[in-house]
Amino acid sequence: MRSFAGRDILSLKGFERAEFEHVFEIADNLEPIARQRRNTDLLADKTLVTAFYQPSTRTRLAHEAAMHRLGGHVTGFSDAKMTRAGDFYQESIKDTVHMLEFYGDTIVMRHFQQGAPAEAAKWASVPVINAGDGWGEHPTQVLTDLYTITKETGSVDGKTIVCIGDHRMRTMHSIGYALSQFDAEMVILAPEEMSPTAEFLAELDEMGTTWRIVDHIDEVIAEADVLYMEPVVQPDYTASRQEKQDEYGRTPANYQVTREVMKKAPGSSIVLHSLPRMDELLPEVDSTKHARYWQEAYNGVVMRMALLALVMGATE
Ligand code: CP
């Protein structure tokens, strides 16, 4: 297994089974710190730089919270418009990263351009973590999600994972790649205009991910071990920011999870949603035994603790 020290986390393509297991093990070791709401000194001599060119609640703050839990420092920006990358100068990724690498020991970047964190990693002498790049990938979210499935159900292996929503979405790409390392089936449920591309499906075939496509939640709900959700009513992820319009669509029943729908699911099935949500996942599901998205959000901090400790070499 490759060492994580000094390593970029850009994609789950090529992430090996042993690496997933190792990250999960480190997350397990560090979890009591988060559970007991303690701050430790594991990364006391390290600084994380956050470079967010697109809005975020969870990903940025979970990385920051993780850094605080490990005693580290945080600097950075959450609004690129207030930096030289977002004003008159439109400073390049290369020049920006040449600055940021002097300000800290790891850079976590969200960007509206697919491939921007990979571009940053070419120029940075410190690890770069992809916090979501356009429609590209969202590796730390999917590591969180697979960790949550493991904790909540015992294993990713043997599971039917129904991925509902916009399949142009970065999480859908990362989970498709990740599932190549597990004995699980990815069931794809998306509106036609949000379907996975032929190129992506070919990649899944090449990597060995088992997948099939269905058209309605009712076709698959009885066999769903995991409902893995994204909105179908959502902004353009290739834009730096998009305000909500007065008029916006509603989620068709095919892609909606309600209390009624969950009555047809196996008793042990769990619902994950990386959030934020629209009307594809109704709040009435929150109080069912199936909801695990708040646990998923908590695990988001634990997973970022593990990744930061690993890439900054505080743990092997
Ligand atoms: N799940 C997720 O990426 O949330 P944020 O956009 O709030 O970071």
Side-chain angles (χ1 to χ4, degrees):
M1 188 175 63
R2 293 170 292 168
S3 169
F4 279 93
R7 188 165 146 188
D8 304 310
I9 307 290
L10 301 172
S11 168
L12 293 186
K13 212 188 286 187
F15 218 85
E16 292 170 4
R17 171 79 182 224
E19 295 174 325
F20 284 104
E21 287 171 355
H22 186 58
V23 172
F24 296 169
E25 185 188 327
I26 300 299
D28 276 346
N29 294 345
L30 296 175
E31 191 275 337
I33 300 167
R35 182 164 18 99
Q36 295 157 18
R37 296 181 176 278
R38 285 190 292 120
N39 289 355
T40 58
D41 60 1
L42 198 62
L43 292 179
D45 60 349
K46 301 291 183 195
T47 298
L48 176 70
V49 184
T50 57
F52 277 64
Y53 294 77
Q54 209 177 34
S56 168
T57 298
R58 282 145 286 269
T59 311
R60 182 172 66 85
L61 294 174
H63 276 92
E64 292 193 4
M67 203 59 192
H68 290 302
R69 288 282 181 232
L70 299 178
H73 308 269
V74 180
T75 186
F77 58 86
S78 57
D79 182 359
K81 288 228 173 309
M82 298 307 291
T83 73
R84 295 309 195 182
D87 80 341
F88 176 86
Y89 293 96
Q90 297 286 304
E91 194 166 23
S92 68
I93 295 268
K94 179 182 177 184
D95 285 4
T96 303
V97 163
H98 270 324
M99 300 301 109
L100 301 185
E101 67 178 341
F102 300 130
Y103 303 158
D105 307 293
T106 293
I107 299 167
V108 57
M109 176 180 284
R110 170 167 288 188
H111 207 289
F112 51 91
Q113 284 171 3
Q114 188 168 339
E119 166 76 7
K122 278 201 289 192
W123 308 113
S125 58
V126 298
V128 175
I129 296 177
N130 179 1
D133 60 327
W135 294 120
E137 279 205 58
H138 199 348
T140 68
Q141 178 65 54
V142 170
L143 283 163
T144 298
D145 303 337
L146 296 180
Y147 179 63
T148 304
I149 295 171
T150 304
K151 300 305 287 178
E152 296 296 322
T153 72
S155 175
V156 177
D157 289 327
K159 299 296 187 305
T160 298
I161 301 178
V162 183
C163 297
I164 311 171
D166 190 340
H167 273 257
R168 298 169 303 171
M169 194 55 188
R170 46 205 184 197
T171 47
M172 296 303 191
H173 297 145
S174 289
I175 198 166
Y177 297 141
L179 290 180
S180 69
Q181 300 299 302
F182 297 89
D183 178 22
E185 185 185 25
M186 179 182 190
V187 181
I188 296 167
L189 173 54
E192 198 175 342
E193 66 280 14
M194 298 177 185
S195 296
T197 62
E199 291 76 20
F200 174 67
L201 293 176
E203 272 188 296
L204 295 189
D205 285 339
E206 201 175 308
M207 294 171 71
T209 300
T210 306
W211 60 271
R212 74 182 139 122
I213 295 177
V214 297
D215 295 323
H216 198 295
I217 184 76
D218 283 347
E219 283 179 57
V220 74
I221 188 66
E223 52 180 313
D225 298 305
V226 180
L227 293 164
Y228 187 79
M229 302 194 67
E230 284 289 350
V232 297
V233 178
Q234 62 173 3
D236 176 2
Y237 274 76
T238 63
S240 59
R241 184 182 175 84
Q242 197 177 349
E243 300 301 332
K244 200 168 179 181
Q245 307 296 314
D246 289 342
E247 293 291 321
Y248 57 91
R250 312 287 301 174
T251 302
N254 309 37
Y255 319 108
Q256 200 174 42
V257 170
T258 63
R259 230 171 212 280
E260 234 12 70
V261 165
M262 290 316 295
K263 283 183 188 161
K264 299 175 230 165
S268 57
S269 72
I270 64 169
V271 180
L272 299 184
H273 193 310
S274 61
L275 302 172
R277 63 178 151 183
M278 295 291 280
D279 65 334
E280 72 284 354
L281 174 60
L282 297 188
E284 66 185 23
V285 180
D286 297 5
S287 54
T288 69
K289 63 185 174 187
H290 304 287
R292 291 295 191 286
Y293 24 97
W294 309 124
Q295 191 63 34
E296 183 184 4
Y298 166 73
N299 287 339
V301 178
V302 176
M303 178 50 61
R304 274 62 176 233
M305 289 166 69
L307 291 172
L308 292 171
L310 282 164
V311 301
M312 285 191 259
T315 186
E316 265 303 316

